[in-house]
Amino acid sequence: MQFKLFKTLWGVHGAPDEAARLALEAGFDGLEAAVPEAPEARDALGQALSEHGVPFIAEVCTGGSYVPDRHATPAEHLADLRRKVRAAQPLGPLLCNVIAGCDAWPLAVQRDFFAAALELEADLGVPLSFETHRGRSMFNPWVTETLLRQLPELRLTADISHWVVVAERLLDDDWDLLLAVAEQVRHVHGRVGYPQGPQVPHPAAPEYADCLAFHQRFWEAVWRAQRRRGASLSSMTPEFGPDRYLHTLPFTDQPVADLWQVNRWMGDTEREHFCRWIGGDA
Protein backbone atom coordinates (compact mmCIF):
# COMPACT_ATOMS: atom_id res chain seq x y z
CA MET A 1 0.00 0.00 0.00
CA GLN A 2 1.41 3.39 -1.03
CA PHE A 3 1.24 6.48 1.14
CA LYS A 4 0.66 9.83 -0.56
CA LEU A 5 0.73 13.28 1.02
CA PHE A 6 -1.36 16.19 -0.26
CA LYS A 7 -0.64 19.85 0.36
CA THR A 8 -3.67 21.89 1.37
CA LEU A 9 -4.19 25.24 -0.32
CA TRP A 10 -6.06 26.50 2.77
CA GLY A 11 -4.18 29.59 3.83
CA VAL A 12 -2.10 29.70 0.64
CA HIS A 13 -2.35 33.04 -1.15
CA GLY A 14 0.07 32.50 -4.05
CA ALA A 15 -0.57 31.08 -7.48
CA PRO A 16 -1.37 27.35 -7.74
CA ASP A 17 1.71 26.83 -9.91
CA GLU A 18 3.91 28.07 -7.07
CA ALA A 19 2.00 25.95 -4.55
CA ALA A 20 2.51 22.83 -6.67
CA ARG A 21 6.22 23.55 -7.05
CA LEU A 22 6.66 24.08 -3.29
CA ALA A 23 4.66 20.94 -2.53
CA LEU A 24 6.85 18.77 -4.75
CA GLU A 25 10.05 20.31 -3.39
CA ALA A 26 8.87 19.53 0.15
CA GLY A 27 8.08 15.90 -0.66
CA PHE A 28 4.31 16.19 -1.06
CA ASP A 29 2.66 14.21 -3.83
CA GLY A 30 -0.38 16.32 -4.72
CA LEU A 31 -2.71 19.19 -3.84
CA GLU A 32 -6.04 19.44 -2.02
CA ALA A 33 -8.20 22.52 -2.53
CA ALA A 34 -11.64 23.87 -3.20
CA VAL A 35 -12.33 24.29 -6.91
CA PRO A 36 -12.41 28.04 -7.65
CA GLU A 37 -15.70 29.49 -8.79
CA ALA A 38 -14.04 31.92 -11.22
CA PRO A 39 -13.21 30.26 -14.57
CA GLU A 40 -9.81 31.97 -14.79
CA ALA A 41 -8.75 30.71 -11.35
CA ARG A 42 -10.11 27.25 -12.12
CA ASP A 43 -8.12 27.15 -15.35
CA ALA A 44 -4.96 28.25 -13.52
CA LEU A 45 -5.38 25.42 -11.02
CA GLY A 46 -5.97 22.90 -13.80
CA GLN A 47 -2.91 24.11 -15.67
CA ALA A 48 -0.73 23.78 -12.56
CA LEU A 49 -1.97 20.26 -11.92
CA SER A 50 -1.29 19.27 -15.53
CA GLU A 51 2.12 20.89 -15.82
CA HIS A 52 3.42 19.42 -12.58
CA GLY A 53 1.67 16.07 -13.06
CA VAL A 54 0.29 15.97 -9.52
CA PRO A 55 -2.89 14.28 -8.30
CA PHE A 56 -5.70 16.43 -6.93
CA ILE A 57 -8.31 16.15 -4.20
CA ALA A 58 -11.23 18.54 -4.64
CA GLU A 59 -12.86 20.02 -1.56
CA VAL A 60 -16.61 20.53 -1.68
CA CYS A 61 -18.83 22.31 0.87
CA THR A 62 -22.60 21.97 0.69
CA GLY A 63 -25.21 24.40 1.95
CA GLY A 64 -22.86 27.34 2.32
CA SER A 65 -19.18 27.53 3.11
CA TYR A 66 -17.35 25.63 5.86
CA VAL A 67 -20.05 26.58 8.34
CA PRO A 68 -23.41 25.60 6.83
CA ASP A 69 -26.27 27.97 6.27
CA ARG A 70 -28.63 26.89 9.04
CA HIS A 71 -31.64 27.44 6.79
CA ALA A 72 -30.38 25.56 3.74
CA THR A 73 -32.55 22.51 3.06
CA PRO A 74 -31.23 19.00 2.38
CA ALA A 75 -32.36 19.45 -1.24
CA GLU A 76 -30.24 22.61 -1.49
CA HIS A 77 -27.27 20.76 -0.01
CA LEU A 78 -27.68 18.02 -2.61
CA ALA A 79 -27.95 20.56 -5.44
CA ASP A 80 -24.73 22.18 -4.19
CA LEU A 81 -23.05 18.79 -4.07
CA ARG A 82 -23.99 17.94 -7.65
CA ARG A 83 -22.99 21.36 -9.00
CA LYS A 84 -19.62 21.46 -7.23
CA VAL A 85 -18.65 17.88 -8.05
CA ARG A 86 -19.45 18.54 -11.70
CA ALA A 87 -17.27 21.67 -11.57
CA ALA A 88 -14.43 19.56 -10.16
CA GLN A 89 -14.68 16.77 -12.73
CA PRO A 90 -12.62 18.49 -15.50
CA LEU A 91 -9.71 18.62 -13.02
CA GLY A 92 -9.75 14.82 -12.70
CA PRO A 93 -9.88 14.58 -8.90
CA LEU A 94 -8.71 11.45 -7.15
CA LEU A 95 -11.72 12.02 -4.89
CA CYS A 96 -13.94 14.80 -3.62
CA ASN A 97 -13.60 15.60 0.05
CA VAL A 98 -17.13 16.63 1.00
CA ILE A 99 -18.03 18.81 3.99
CA ALA A 100 -21.74 18.11 4.04
CA GLY A 101 -24.98 18.34 5.93
CA CYS A 102 -25.80 20.13 9.16
CA ASP A 103 -25.33 19.13 12.79
CA ALA A 104 -28.84 20.33 13.69
CA TRP A 105 -30.73 17.96 11.38
CA PRO A 106 -32.61 15.06 12.96
CA LEU A 107 -31.02 11.65 12.44
CA ALA A 108 -33.71 10.52 9.98
CA VAL A 109 -33.01 13.58 7.81
CA GLN A 110 -29.27 12.87 7.99
CA ARG A 111 -29.84 9.30 6.85
CA ASP A 112 -32.02 10.30 3.89
CA PHE A 113 -29.56 13.00 2.84
CA PHE A 114 -26.57 10.66 2.76
CA ALA A 115 -28.55 7.94 1.02
CA ALA A 116 -29.30 10.48 -1.72
CA ALA A 117 -25.62 11.56 -1.73
CA LEU A 118 -24.58 7.96 -2.36
CA GLU A 119 -26.95 7.81 -5.34
CA LEU A 120 -25.41 11.02 -6.66
CA GLU A 121 -21.93 9.54 -6.22
CA ALA A 122 -22.91 6.54 -8.34
CA ASP A 123 -24.48 8.79 -10.95
CA LEU A 124 -21.48 11.13 -11.30
CA GLY A 125 -18.81 8.45 -11.01
CA VAL A 126 -16.52 10.45 -8.68
CA PRO A 127 -15.51 8.97 -5.31
CA LEU A 128 -16.96 11.04 -2.47
CA SER A 129 -15.35 11.11 0.95
CA PHE A 130 -17.43 12.77 3.68
CA GLU A 131 -15.46 14.72 6.27
CA THR A 132 -15.94 14.45 10.02
CA HIS A 133 -16.27 18.19 10.57
CA ARG A 134 -17.73 20.43 13.28
CA GLY A 135 -21.04 22.06 12.38
CA ARG A 136 -21.78 19.27 9.93
CA SER A 137 -23.65 15.98 10.00
CA MET A 138 -20.64 13.97 11.18
CA PHE A 139 -19.62 16.37 13.93
CA ASN A 140 -19.24 13.65 16.56
CA PRO A 141 -18.31 9.95 16.52
CA TRP A 142 -21.61 8.65 17.89
CA VAL A 143 -23.79 10.15 15.15
CA THR A 144 -21.20 9.14 12.56
CA GLU A 145 -21.10 5.53 13.69
CA THR A 146 -24.90 5.36 13.62
CA LEU A 147 -24.97 6.68 10.04
CA LEU A 148 -22.29 4.19 9.00
CA ARG A 149 -24.31 1.30 10.39
CA GLN A 150 -27.33 2.44 8.39
CA LEU A 151 -25.32 3.28 5.25
CA PRO A 152 -22.22 1.06 5.21
CA GLU A 153 -21.29 2.25 1.70
CA LEU A 154 -20.37 5.71 3.05
CA ARG A 155 -16.67 6.53 3.01
CA LEU A 156 -15.11 9.15 5.23
CA THR A 157 -12.40 11.73 5.41
CA ALA A 158 -11.30 11.35 9.01
CA ASP A 159 -10.43 14.59 10.75
CA ILE A 160 -10.86 13.56 14.35
CA SER A 161 -9.37 16.82 15.62
CA HIS A 162 -12.96 18.07 15.32
CA TRP A 163 -14.25 15.24 17.49
CA VAL A 164 -11.67 15.88 20.18
CA VAL A 165 -12.75 19.49 20.64
CA VAL A 166 -16.48 18.68 20.34
CA ALA A 167 -16.15 16.00 23.04
CA GLU A 168 -13.61 18.04 25.04
CA ARG A 169 -11.47 14.96 25.54
CA LEU A 170 -9.28 12.45 23.82
CA LEU A 171 -11.60 9.59 22.95
CA ASP A 172 -9.71 6.62 24.40
CA ASP A 173 -12.81 5.52 26.32
CA ASP A 174 -14.64 5.12 22.99
CA TRP A 175 -11.81 3.32 21.23
CA ASP A 176 -13.96 0.42 19.98
CA LEU A 177 -16.30 2.90 18.33
CA LEU A 178 -13.35 4.67 16.70
CA LEU A 179 -12.08 1.34 15.39
CA ALA A 180 -15.49 0.77 13.76
CA VAL A 181 -15.32 4.22 12.15
CA ALA A 182 -11.77 3.58 10.93
CA GLU A 183 -13.09 0.74 8.77
CA GLN A 184 -14.86 3.27 6.54
CA VAL A 185 -12.11 5.89 6.16
CA ARG A 186 -10.96 6.69 2.63
CA HIS A 187 -8.81 9.80 3.31
CA VAL A 188 -7.24 11.44 6.38
CA HIS A 189 -6.76 15.05 7.37
CA GLY A 190 -3.61 15.06 9.45
CA ARG A 191 -4.30 17.73 12.04
CA VAL A 192 -3.88 17.26 15.78
CA GLY A 193 -6.59 18.62 18.02
CA TYR A 194 -6.69 18.94 21.79
CA PRO A 195 -9.60 18.97 24.24
CA GLN A 196 -10.04 22.76 24.04
CA GLY A 197 -9.38 23.30 20.35
CA PRO A 198 -9.11 21.74 16.87
CA GLN A 199 -5.43 22.59 16.38
CA VAL A 200 -2.50 22.40 18.77
CA PRO A 201 -0.02 25.30 18.40
CA HIS A 202 2.61 22.86 17.09
CA PRO A 203 2.29 19.06 16.94
CA ALA A 204 5.96 18.62 17.90
CA ALA A 205 5.52 20.47 21.21
CA PRO A 206 6.06 18.04 24.13
CA GLU A 207 3.11 19.46 26.07
CA TYR A 208 0.83 18.03 23.35
CA ALA A 209 2.57 14.65 23.00
CA ASP A 210 -0.48 12.80 24.33
CA CYS A 211 -2.69 14.41 21.68
CA LEU A 212 -0.28 13.55 18.87
CA ALA A 213 -0.01 9.95 20.10
CA PHE A 214 -3.81 9.60 20.23
CA HIS A 215 -4.25 10.81 16.65
CA GLN A 216 -1.38 8.65 15.41
CA ARG A 217 -2.88 5.58 17.04
CA PHE A 218 -6.15 6.25 15.21
CA TRP A 219 -4.32 6.79 11.91
CA GLU A 220 -2.65 3.40 12.35
CA ALA A 221 -6.12 1.88 12.81
CA VAL A 222 -7.17 3.53 9.53
CA TRP A 223 -4.11 2.18 7.70
CA ARG A 224 -4.75 -1.29 9.07
CA ALA A 225 -8.37 -1.17 7.91
CA GLN A 226 -7.38 0.13 4.47
CA ARG A 227 -4.88 -2.65 4.02
CA ARG A 228 -7.49 -5.25 5.04
CA ARG A 229 -9.80 -3.82 2.36
CA GLY A 230 -7.03 -4.26 -0.21
CA ALA A 231 -6.49 -0.54 -0.77
CA SER A 232 -3.47 0.27 -2.92
CA LEU A 233 -3.26 3.86 -1.66
CA SER A 234 -3.56 5.65 1.67
CA SER A 235 -3.78 9.44 1.40
CA MET A 236 -3.30 12.16 3.99
CA THR A 237 -3.45 15.94 3.90
CA PRO A 238 -1.66 17.70 6.77
CA GLU A 239 -4.27 20.37 7.39
CA PHE A 240 -3.07 22.84 9.96
CA GLY A 241 -4.66 26.09 8.92
CA PRO A 242 -5.21 29.82 9.56
CA ASP A 243 -8.54 31.50 10.46
CA ARG A 244 -7.87 31.36 14.21
CA TYR A 245 -7.00 27.67 14.03
CA LEU A 246 -3.38 28.81 14.21
CA HIS A 247 -2.77 30.40 17.59
CA THR A 248 -1.71 34.04 17.66
CA LEU A 249 -0.26 36.32 20.33
CA PRO A 250 -2.69 38.72 22.04
CA PHE A 251 -2.74 42.32 20.84
CA THR A 252 -0.22 41.77 18.03
CA ASP A 253 -2.08 38.91 16.26
CA GLN A 254 1.30 37.43 15.35
CA PRO A 255 1.20 33.65 14.68
CA VAL A 256 2.98 31.46 17.21
CA ALA A 257 4.29 29.14 14.49
CA ASP A 258 4.97 29.12 10.76
CA LEU A 259 2.01 27.37 9.13
CA TRP A 260 3.95 25.96 6.19
CA GLN A 261 6.67 24.62 8.49
CA VAL A 262 4.04 23.01 10.73
CA ASN A 263 2.39 21.24 7.79
CA ARG A 264 5.79 20.16 6.46
CA TRP A 265 6.69 18.76 9.87
CA MET A 266 3.39 16.90 10.02
CA GLY A 267 3.87 15.49 6.53
CA ASP A 268 7.47 14.38 7.14
CA THR A 269 6.54 12.86 10.49
CA GLU A 270 3.62 10.90 9.12
CA ARG A 271 5.49 9.61 6.10
CA GLU A 272 8.16 8.28 8.48
CA HIS A 273 5.42 6.99 10.81
CA PHE A 274 3.72 5.13 7.96
CA CYS A 275 7.01 3.58 6.82
CA ARG A 276 7.76 2.38 10.35
CA TRP A 277 4.24 1.07 10.76
CA ILE A 278 4.03 -0.81 7.49
CA GLY A 279 7.47 -2.29 8.09
CA GLY A 280 6.75 -3.36 11.64
CA ASP A 281 3.13 -4.37 11.15
CA ALA A 282 3.66 -6.51 8.04
Side-chain angles (χ1 to χ4, degrees):
M1 185 168 68
Q2 290 185 313
F3 182 71
K4 290 193 179 294
L5 285 169
F6 288 75
K7 172 178 166 54
T8 179
L9 296 193
W10 182 30
V12 174
H13 302 294
D17 180 75
E18 177 71 3
R21 184 184 63 78
L22 287 173
L24 291 172
E25 288 177 357
F28 287 77
D29 301 291
L31 299 179
E32 177 172 338
V35 175
E37 294 277 353
E40 299 84 359
R42 191 162 58 243
D43 291 346
L45 175 58
Q47 184 174 356
L49 296 171
S50 176
E51 288 185 357
H52 292 277
V54 295
F56 176 60
I57 293 174
E59 195 164 271
V60 170
C61 293
T62 70
S65 185
Y66 293 95
V67 177
D69 176 353
R70 179 65 182 89
H71 303 292
T73 66
E76 289 170 330
H77 279 259
L78 286 168
D80 256 2
L81 181 58
R82 181 179 292 276
R83 177 177 61 84
K84 291 179 178 180
V85 171
R86 280 180 169 165
Q89 281 180 302
L91 299 176
L94 180 69
L95 59 90
C96 287
N97 175 58
V98 183
I99 301 171
C102 180
D103 53 3
W105 290 347
L107 185 59
V109 174
Q110 308 277 23
R111 191 265 174 208
D112 290 347
F113 169 76
F114 283 102
L118 286 171
E119 292 178 2
L120 190 151
E121 178 182 28
D123 180 45
L124 294 178
V126 178
L128 303 183
S129 188
F130 296 94
E131 185 175 344
T132 60
H133 200 290
R134 285 173 299 154
R136 296 297 187 155
S137 295
M138 297 181 185
F139 71 103
N140 77 45
W142 304 283
V143 169
T144 302
E145 192 268 342
T146 299
L147 285 170
L148 291 175
R149 278 192 280 108
Q150 296 182 5
L151 298 166
E153 301 87 0
L154 281 172
R155 292 294 178 265
L156 305 182
T157 293
D159 187 343
I160 63 167
S161 68
H162 291 284
W163 288 353
V164 168
V165 65
V166 166
E168 288 196 281
R169 61 189 183 277
L170 301 179
L171 292 157
D172 296 285
D173 289 345
D174 286 282
W175 191 247
D176 287 345
L177 184 148
L178 264 63
L179 289 177
V181 169
E183 295 292 330
Q184 307 303 106
V185 173
R186 175 178 270 150
H187 178 51
V188 170
H189 276 180
R191 188 173 62 244
V192 176
Y194 67 109
Q196 278 71 48
Q199 180 170 304
V200 298
H202 197 299
E207 58 268 34
Y208 294 104
D210 58 336
C211 299
L212 175 62
F214 169 78
H215 287 73
Q216 287 180 320
R217 189 156 65 101
F218 177 75
W219 297 337
E220 287 185 7
V222 168
W223 298 336
R224 197 168 291 115
Q226 289 174 333
R227 191 170 62 178
R228 277 198 302 270
R229 296 200 306 265
S232 60
L233 170 68
S234 183
S235 57
M236 174 183 282
T237 302
E239 211 209 16
F240 286 76
D243 301 336
R244 303 298 178 186
Y245 276 70
L246 179 63
H247 292 210
T248 59
L249 296 172
F251 305 107
T252 66
D253 204 30
Q254 292 301 302
V256 301
D258 181 282
L259 198 58
W260 175 221
Q261 293 301 321
V262 169
N263 278 321
R264 286 189 65 173
W265 184 92
M266 194 80 256
D268 290 343
T269 298
E270 287 316 298
R271 192 183 292 282
E272 293 171 6
H273 178 199
F274 180 83
C275 289
R276 290 196 309 274
W277 171 82
I278 205 162
D281 201 59

